[in-house]
Amino acid sequence: MDTQFLFRGSIQEPLPIEIVWALTFCFFLSFTSFLIVIFLAHHKRFKQNKTKTLSVEEIRFHITNFLFRNYSLYSVDTLKSIIKKSKEHNQTIIEILFKIKQTLNDLPTLRLEYLYKELSLSQVSAKKLNDKNWAIQIEGIKELVGMDDQTYISEIELLVNNPHHLVRIEAFFAMLKLKGTEGLTLLEILEYPISDWQQMQIIKILKERVNVKLPDFSQWFYLANISVACFAIRLTAIFNQTHLINKIVGLLSINEHPLRIQAAIEVLIYLKIPTFTDQIKALSTTNNKEVQLSILYFFEEFGTLKDIIFLRDFLYDNYLWTDDELFLLGLRVIKKVFNDDSRFFNFAGLYFSNQQAMILQVMEESK
């Protein structure tokens, strides 16, 4: 058998030298091109990072010159040409301006606010008001208010009823800062209960503005938002608006909302006005516990011996002995009115003999 025949099909002819050199060159060229691409990409990224860092320093330098030196040499147009208008740089500028403003006096502050508007940075902040992230919404509000920019007041006003409580609180106080006491008209559109923290901050702001005429709080007594209405009622006491007393007394109706009644009684107690005892007694048929407590607090403050029979009937007719809190308060009020332990003990023992334990408890409290 011819062995050359057996292996003839598996033996390959060597490639021509020209093809080998061509393939080698192509491989070298491809590998070199790959290395160049990798290098350029890395170099570009490094250069971008370096450029970004340098641009921030450059921005800060020119903003500082504009604010504190001869700013006529650093016009807004010059700054616009220097600052690259990109999202990253816009936010960087805003952050720089805010940091600078923390330590500014009046004149540079005006320049800074002017610069903020002229560079259209207020538009950047305004876009945040519609962001889905509540934290970014708050950031936008703070930026606009911090720069005293009133361009987007109507947009901020819409956020006072935002579903997120922190956004609506921030928006509400932003309106007070931008509009002063006129911003209190927002109380009329609040859809959510006003928090205790909000109330305290509003009171603080009103007290700080001693030379500003206070609004007529009675315009908000009958708002559908009962929490706001009650807050307005209590403001009359805090700011001593005694000229509104007749309107306060007008709330002392058995047909009125219990929380309005409670707030009105609190005002009379706070202002130490005892002259409307008959109106308070007319509320005695109420079944609302908060109002019942308020009635007892009123007589604890202003009750006299002529009110003893009313207090007895109030406790007896309304079955207040079934509620320990109410009954104990009622006994304390009667004891205070008598101002005599023995007379109180005899009176309470006569009409409430089945509540000896509570009577003795009240007696012990005075020892």
Side-chain angles (χ1 to χ4, degrees):
M1 184 178 293
D2 189 351
T3 56
Q4 291 183 357
F5 174 79
L6 291 175
F7 297 101
R8 190 175 297 165
S10 61
I11 296 176
Q12 299 179 357
E13 296 293 334
L15 293 173
I17 189 66
E18 293 83 1
I19 296 177
V20 172
W21 277 107
L23 291 173
T24 302
F25 177 75
C26 290
F27 173 78
F28 176 78
L29 183 63
S30 299
F31 183 73
T32 303
S33 300
F34 175 75
L35 291 178
I36 291 173
V37 170
I38 294 295
F39 172 77
L40 290 176
H42 178 75
H43 179 71
K44 183 178 180 181
R45 188 180 299 110
F46 174 79
K47 187 176 180 180
Q48 286 177 339
N49 291 336
K50 184 176 180 181
T51 301
K52 182 177 180 181
T53 302
L54 290 175
S55 67
V56 170
E57 294 173 356
E58 186 181 30
I59 291 168
R60 185 179 291 108
F61 172 78
H62 287 284
I63 288 176
T64 302
N65 282 330
F66 177 82
L67 294 173
F68 298 105
R69 300 177 186 175
N70 187 355
Y71 73 99
S72 62
L73 299 178
Y74 292 88
S75 66
V76 174
D77 290 335
T78 303
L79 288 173
K80 285 181 179 179
S81 65
I82 292 172
I83 298 169
K84 296 178 180 180
K85 302 303 290 179
S86 66
K87 183 178 180 180
E88 293 78 8
H89 285 87
N90 282 335
Q91 190 56 42
T92 298
I93 300 167
I94 292 174
E95 291 172 1
I96 291 172
L97 295 180
F98 266 80
K99 288 181 180 178
I100 294 175
K101 190 176 182 183
Q102 293 175 357
T103 56
L104 287 182
N105 56 35
D106 292 340
L107 182 57
T109 294
L110 295 176
R111 293 180 189 173
L112 187 147
E113 292 171 356
Y114 170 75
L115 181 61
Y116 175 76
K117 295 175 183 177
E118 285 299 306
L119 293 176
S120 300
L121 297 176
S122 58
Q123 297 175 12
V124 178
S125 299
K127 288 181 180 179
K128 297 178 182 179
L129 301 180
N130 297 318
D131 199 279
K132 294 181 180 179
N133 187 325
W134 63 268
I136 293 178
Q137 287 181 305
I138 290 177
E139 186 177 89
I141 295 171
K142 288 183 175 179
E143 290 172 359
L144 290 168
V145 175
M147 291 298 173
D148 196 28
D149 191 323
Q150 304 204 14
T151 309
Y152 298 94
I153 270 189
S154 58
E155 285 81 354
I156 295 175
E157 182 175 328
L158 293 175
L159 296 177
V160 299
N161 286 314
N162 188 276
H164 198 286
H165 70 286
L166 292 179
V167 174
R168 59 177 183 262
I169 288 174
E170 193 69 41
F172 185 85
F173 288 113
M175 295 301 294
L176 286 181
K177 291 176 184 176
L178 293 173
K179 297 183 67 175
T181 54
E182 292 182 7
L184 286 175
T185 56
L186 288 177
L187 293 173
E188 299 172 6
I189 66 171
L190 292 185
E191 299 173 0
Y192 293 85
I194 186 168
S195 68
D196 291 341
W197 187 85
Q198 280 179 289
Q199 295 179 40
M200 288 188 293
Q201 294 302 311
I202 291 173
I203 292 169
K204 179 182 177 183
I205 291 172
L206 292 176
K207 286 185 175 180
E208 289 174 348
R209 300 181 179 182
V210 292
N211 296 322
V212 177
K213 183 179 179 181
L214 293 173
D216 182 349
F217 299 126
S218 65
Q219 64 185 302
W220 301 310
F221 284 2
Y222 293 96
L223 291 177
N225 189 331
I226 193 64
S227 67
V228 177
C230 291
F231 174 56
I233 294 168
R234 293 184 176 98
L235 284 176
T236 63
I238 295 171
F239 291 95
N240 198 34
Q241 291 194 336
T242 54
H243 62 284
L244 295 177
I245 286 302
N246 287 335
K247 292 184 178 181
I248 293 293
V249 175
L251 298 170
L252 301 177
S253 168
I254 196 66
N255 297 319
E256 189 54 80
H257 193 291
L259 293 180
R260 285 195 180 90
I261 297 173
Q262 181 187 11
I265 295 175
E266 288 177 8
V267 170
L268 296 179
I269 295 173
Y270 186 92
L271 295 177
K272 299 187 181 304
I273 301 176
T275 53
F276 299 99
T277 303
D278 291 340
Q279 287 85 342
I280 300 296
K281 289 179 178 181
L283 300 170
S284 62
T285 57
T286 180
N287 292 321
N288 182 273
K289 182 175 179 177
E290 298 304 320
V291 176
Q292 290 172 334
L293 285 169
S294 297
I295 292 172
L296 291 174
Y297 288 136
F298 179 87
F299 284 99
E300 183 179 32
E301 185 71 23
F302 305 120
T304 64
L305 288 174
K306 65 180 182 180
D307 300 314
I308 287 294
I309 300 302
F310 165 77
L311 290 169
R312 179 202 65 186
D313 294 342
F314 182 54
L315 269 63
Y316 188 87
D317 294 342
N318 289 279
Y319 304 99
L320 296 194
W321 63 79
T322 60
D323 186 306
D324 289 353
E325 181 184 11
L326 285 167
F327 189 67
L328 279 172
L329 177 58
L331 290 177
R332 292 186 185 111
V333 172
I334 292 173
K335 183 177 181 298
K336 182 178 180 181
V337 171
F338 271 122
N339 195 28
D340 183 283
D341 288 354
S342 61
R343 292 182 66 186
F344 163 73
F345 184 78
N346 292 333
F347 182 87
L350 176 63
Y351 292 103
F352 306 106
S353 58
N354 58 335
Q355 300 293 332
Q356 288 293 328
M358 289 192 181
I359 295 172
L360 291 174
Q361 178 180 336
V362 173
M363 292 288 292
E364 287 293 325
E365 290 174 355
S366 62
K367 293 182 179 181

